[in-house]
Every structure is written in C-alpha cells, then in structure tokens.
Amino acid sequence: MRLNGNLLVLAVAAALTLMLTGCAVDRHERRAAIKGALIGAAGGAAISAMTGGDVAAGAAIGAAGGAAVGVITHEGRERRVYNDGGRRYWQDDYGQRRYFPDGYR
C-alpha cells in the first residue's frame, strides 16, 4: 500500500498528536492536548488554504503545535518550559519533568 504525500503528512500528524497526548499525566491534560490539537489543526489548515500552501501539512503542523500548547497551558495556567541539555521539558503539578518528544522544538 502506497500513501500519497497528503495522506502521509496526515498520518504523521495523527501519530504526533497521539504521542503528545500520551505525554499528558491525567485525563484533563489529555483533553487539553486534544482540544489544542483540533484547534491547531483547523487553524493550520485554514492558514495554508488562504496562502495557497499544502492544507494537510498546515493541519499537521498546527495539530502538533496545538497539542503542545494545550498541555503546557492546561487549566489556563502557563507552564514554564526548561531546557535540559538540548531536551525541553515542563514540570507537571506533581513536580515531575515531562519531556517533549525528540525532534520537537
């Protein structure tokens, strides 16, 4: 089975979104990540469509960014992002480090 470019980008976006939501500690953070991913995907697709870019790629980028922002700003609180030797993380409500997936900057 061969995937064309748009379908491949969409599959990668879905995988990244699932990985980011899996980083969430509790169901409220997961819900915030999913909401952020949906809003980011819609915004990314809309901006790509208006500028003549690839809609699927815009949705993928928006979904990944939106999921990260949703987790970080969970419950309306902004969380500080730290750098630990090249890996970025934030601290959850229990003081534990939660790292971003490798390659996410």
Side-chain angles (χ1 to χ4, degrees):
M1 178 176 148
R2 293 189 63 126
L3 299 176
N4 67 15
N6 289 339
L7 190 56
L8 181 62
V9 169
L10 194 57
V12 169
L16 285 174
T17 302
L18 288 173
M19 287 186 338
L20 285 172
T21 56
C23 293
V25 176
D26 61 13
R27 70 178 181 169
H28 300 294
E29 285 184 354
R30 283 189 193 96
R31 189 174 295 156
I34 291 169
K35 285 180 184 177
L38 292 173
I39 292 168
I47 290 171
S48 290
M50 287 187 288
T51 60
D54 184 9
V55 176
I61 294 167
V69 169
V71 170
I72 292 171
T73 59
H74 161 63
E75 293 183 0
R77 295 179 302 210
E78 183 176 339
R79 297 177 190 245
R80 291 185 179 225
V81 177
Y82 303 97
N83 192 352
D84 180 20
R87 293 194 62 203
R88 294 171 44 147
Y89 68 93
W90 73 92
Q91 288 186 337
D92 65 12
D93 295 335
Y94 306 105
Q96 294 183 4
R97 290 181 178 185
R98 301 294 173 187
Y99 287 91
F100 287 96
D102 289 333
Y104 181 82
R105 299 280 173 211

